Amino acid sequence: MTKDGYYTSGEFAKKANITLRTIRYYDRQGILKPSKVAENGYRLYTDADFAKLQKILSLKYLGFSLEEIMTMTINDNDRDYMKESIRLQLNLVQKKMEHLKMVEQSLKDTAKRIETSSEIDWNEVMELLHVTNMEKSLVEQYKNASNLDIRIDLHKKYSQNPVSWFDWIFRKLHLSAGDEILEVGCGTGALWKGHEDQIPHGVHITLSDRSEGMVKDARKLLGDGKGVFSYETFPCEKIPKEKEKYDLVIANHVLFYLKDRQEALREIKRVLKPGGMFLCSTYGSRHMQEITRMVQEFDQRITLSANHLYEEFGLENGKEQLMDVFSDVQREDYEDELLVDQPEPLISYILSCHGNQHEYLASRYLEFKEFVRRRVEEEGRMKITKNAGIFLCRG
C-alpha cells in the first residue's frame, strides 16, 4: 500500500487473492474502475474497492452476467451502497439456498427410486433436469422483482402528491366486511403493504401472478395476514375459479402486458359477482416523458419499453377496450409529478425498464451515468410528469 492509502493493481489483486488479469479485465469492462490514476499511469485502488469487488464476485457466483452486474453496481458510489449491497446479496443467497435444497431433495428422491427399481424412469430424470436448470429462472425472477421495486421506490421517494399511488388506489376499493377479492398480476404485493389494519373483518384476498417468484415475494412481504391473504400462481387469461366468486378484481399495471387482453377481461368478468367491480390501472402517453426524452437525447435508438405500453392499453384507449366486455366503465386520473434531485435513482429506474437500453448502453454505462448526473445538476430538481389512473368497471 502507498503511504496515502492506495493499492497498486498488483497489490490490490494479491490482497484480494485474485489474478491481476481479472482486475485489469474488470477495469476495461468498466465494472471496477480504479479510484485514482496516478501521474505515472499507475491505477490505484482503496479499501472501499474491496467491497465493490466482493459484490461483483458474489453476483458472478450467483449466476449474473457481467452486463447484469454492471447495471446492479453502477450506483455503488452512493453513500448507502454498502448497506444495500449486503441486503441484495443476502436476498440472493437465500434464494440460492432454497434452490439448492430443492435440488438436494430431488437428487435424494431420484437416487432412492433408482435403488428400489430395476428400470430407470426417464420422466423422473427429466423432472430432475428441470429442477436443476431452475436456477436460471430464479435469477430472472429476482431481476424482475428487483426492477419492480426500483420503479416503485422512485415514485415513493419523489412523488409530490401526499397521497401515494397505493394509498389512492386502496381508497378506491371501498372494501366491505366479508368481501372476496382477487388481485391478478399482484407482483410483490405492494398494494396491500401498510394497509393490513384497514382491511374490514372477514375480507379474503387472493393474490395471484403468472410468476411463481413474484408470488413468493408477495407471500414473504405480507404473510397470511391471519388468514386474510392467500397466494396462487396462474395467468389472468385462464383463472381457475368458479363463476361469480369475487366481489372485486384488481389488475394494477397489468393489462398492457397481455397478448390476449380480451380473453383476460372475459375471464375477469366471469369470476365477478353480479354488481361486482373490476379496478384496473394504466399509464397515459405523457407518463415519464422527460425521462424518455433524456435517454433519447443520449442515444436516439434507446426505447425504455419494447413497445409503448399506453398504446397497448392506456388512459387514452383503455375505456374503448373495456367497453367490449363491461357495460359501465369510469376513468379517474391520479394527479402527481416527480421532482428528482439525485441522479442515481433515475439511472436505476432507466436500467430497470423493459426496453433495449442495455443494448446501447453496454459499453457506455459510465458515460451515461455522467450524462444523467450533469443533467440533474443543471436542472437542480428534474421535473417528471406522471400520467396514470384507473378504470372502474361494472356489468
Side-chain angles (χ1 to χ4, degrees), residues 64-264:
F64 290 89
S65 69
L66 288 180
E67 180 181 294
E68 291 163 347
I69 291 171
M70 169 58 88
T71 68
M72 298 168 76
T73 58
I74 192 170
N75 286 330
D76 279 359
N77 288 328
D78 184 23
R79 59 184 176 273
D80 294 327
Y81 92 88
M82 191 64 190
K83 176 182 175 182
E84 177 62 20
S85 171
I86 296 300
R87 185 197 68 77
L88 175 137
Q89 291 178 64
L90 181 60
N91 192 320
L92 287 168
V93 167
Q94 289 170 342
K95 289 182 181 294
K96 180 101 173 180
M97 289 170 64
E98 290 173 5
H99 175 249
L100 287 172
K101 287 178 182 177
M102 192 184 307
V103 172
E104 178 189 30
Q105 189 59 51
S106 296
L107 286 168
K108 285 180 177 179
D109 293 344
T110 303
K112 186 175 182 179
R113 292 191 187 98
I114 289 175
E115 289 174 3
T116 58
S117 175
S118 58
E119 294 184 5
I120 295 176
D121 185 341
W122 294 109
N123 287 328
E124 290 183 1
V125 176
M126 186 63 68
E127 180 64 25
L128 178 60
L129 175 65
H130 290 161
V131 171
T132 306
N133 199 42
M134 196 184 298
E135 185 171 3
K136 291 181 180 178
S137 67
L138 288 174
V139 169
E140 191 64 32
Q141 288 170 5
Y142 177 81
K143 285 193 297 180
N144 290 339
S146 179
N147 287 339
L148 180 59
D149 285 342
I150 287 169
R151 294 192 288 274
I152 290 172
D153 285 345
L154 180 74
H155 290 280
K156 279 184 177 179
K157 189 170 183 180
Y158 295 104
S159 288
Q160 298 304 295
N161 190 328
V163 180
S164 75
W165 170 253
F166 290 124
D167 286 345
W168 184 73
I169 288 183
F170 187 84
R171 294 178 186 183
K172 301 296 181 180
L173 301 180
H174 300 298
L175 303 183
S176 299
D179 277 352
E180 278 287 341
I181 300 168
L182 170 66
E183 183 178 7
V184 296
C186 67
T188 60
L191 170 60
W192 306 100
K193 187 62 179 176
H195 296 123
E196 295 93 334
D197 293 341
Q198 301 170 51
I199 297 172
H201 175 74
V203 169
H204 178 255
I205 303 166
T206 301
L207 283 82
S208 72
D209 200 290
R210 66 173 66 242
S211 165
E212 184 178 349
M214 287 292 192
V215 172
K216 285 182 177 179
D217 286 338
R219 185 190 297 273
K220 185 175 180 180
L221 179 70
L222 299 170
D224 71 355
K226 298 180 179 178
V228 172
F229 301 112
S230 61
Y231 305 86
E232 297 189 38
T233 304
F234 56 78
C236 44
E237 297 92 337
K238 192 173 183 180
I239 302 173
K241 301 294 179 180
E242 65 270 24
K243 183 179 179 182
E244 299 179 359
K245 177 176 176 61
Y246 296 103
D247 300 281
L248 171 66
V249 178
I250 304 162
N252 184 28
H253 290 353
V254 172
L255 294 181
F256 38 54
Y257 291 122
L258 304 181
K259 291 181 179 179
D260 194 344
R261 199 157 28 255
Q262 289 302 307
E263 179 61 25

